Amino acid sequence: MKARTKLWFTEGGKTVMGAGRAELLRTIEEEHSLRKACKKLGISYKHAWTMLKKMNEALGEPAVITVRGGKEQGTFLTDLGRKLLAEYEAGKQLINETLEDETSWENISFKLSARNRLAGKVLEVEKNGLVSKITIEVEPSIITSVVTEEAVKELDINPGDRVYAVIKSTEVMIAKHVSEKKQIKASSKEPDRSD
């Protein structure tokens, strides 16, 4: 059995980048042409254009530009597009390394369910662009979670912190006990569920 996972970036609840969009950007970077990229990937021009339009809308600025006419014509990634693709690739590599890291899974010989919550201590926070790798000591094991940079900031996760590794069937999430003041602040942001 082999563990698999997917990575995607979101902004304001909208998907910015997933495997398909990353592959499209990577191919545009290689071919310098949206038409050639579409042909190479076996997708329609309209589908590719729609993916790019949705990405640009979610970002608020273009990840790809088209230059028409002259020797320098073609489709190119903007600085933002290159940065986004690089961060996606780095996040994907980090996740793959985590899945291949045998110490992430060693000594966990009990049944897990969606509600498992394991108390532990943060050993290391490795920030890598939009994602971070959190190494947690859960006696007698060490496990790893890959979370967004935003989650690390929001939970204020640092080495030495006491946290919970929340195990779902497909992922390891992080939970941290927050002060009453933070709980009140967080609860004031919850939507009204009276309807």
Side-chain angles (χ1 to χ4, degrees), residues 57-77:
E57 287 172 358
L59 290 168
E61 59 182 290
V64 173
I65 58 167
T66 300
V67 177
R68 301 193 190 284
K71 291 181 180 180
E72 301 299 318
Q73 73 178 357
T75 304
F76 305 94
L77 300 188

Side-chain angles (χ1 to χ4, degrees), residues 132-152:
S132 297
K133 179 178 173 183
I134 312 295
T135 306
I136 308 159
E137 181 179 34
V138 178
E139 291 292 335
S141 300
I142 295 175
I143 61 174
T144 304
S145 177
V146 177
V147 298
T148 64
E149 179 185 18
E150 183 181 336
V152 172

Side-chain angles (χ1 to χ4, degrees), residues 181-193:
K181 184 178 177 182
K182 284 187 179 181
Q183 286 176 341
I184 292 169
K185 183 180 174 186
S187 65
S188 68
K189 292 181 181 178
E190 290 184 19
D192 182 16
R193 294 190 175 98

Side-chain angles (χ1 to χ4, degrees), residues 44-113:
S44 74
Y45 185 88
K46 182 179 179 182
H47 177 64
W49 182 246
T50 301
M51 289 190 336
L52 293 174
K53 183 179 176 191
K54 287 180 179 178
M55 185 184 337
N56 291 342
E57 287 172 358
L59 290 168
E61 59 182 290
V64 173
I65 58 167
T66 300
V67 177
R68 301 193 190 284
K71 291 181 180 180
E72 301 299 318
Q73 73 178 357
T75 304
F76 305 94
L77 300 188
T78 63
D79 288 342
L80 174 64
R82 280 190 291 279
K83 180 181 177 192
L84 189 63
L85 182 59
E87 288 186 357
Y88 182 86
E89 295 294 342
K92 193 169 133 186
Q93 181 179 346
L94 185 62
I95 289 170
N96 289 338
E97 287 172 4
T98 301
L99 289 175
E100 292 169 8
D101 182 0
E102 292 179 18
T103 63
S104 298
W105 306 102
E106 70 181 11
N107 297 325
I108 299 185
S109 57
F110 46 87
K111 290 185 179 181
L112 300 176
S113 76

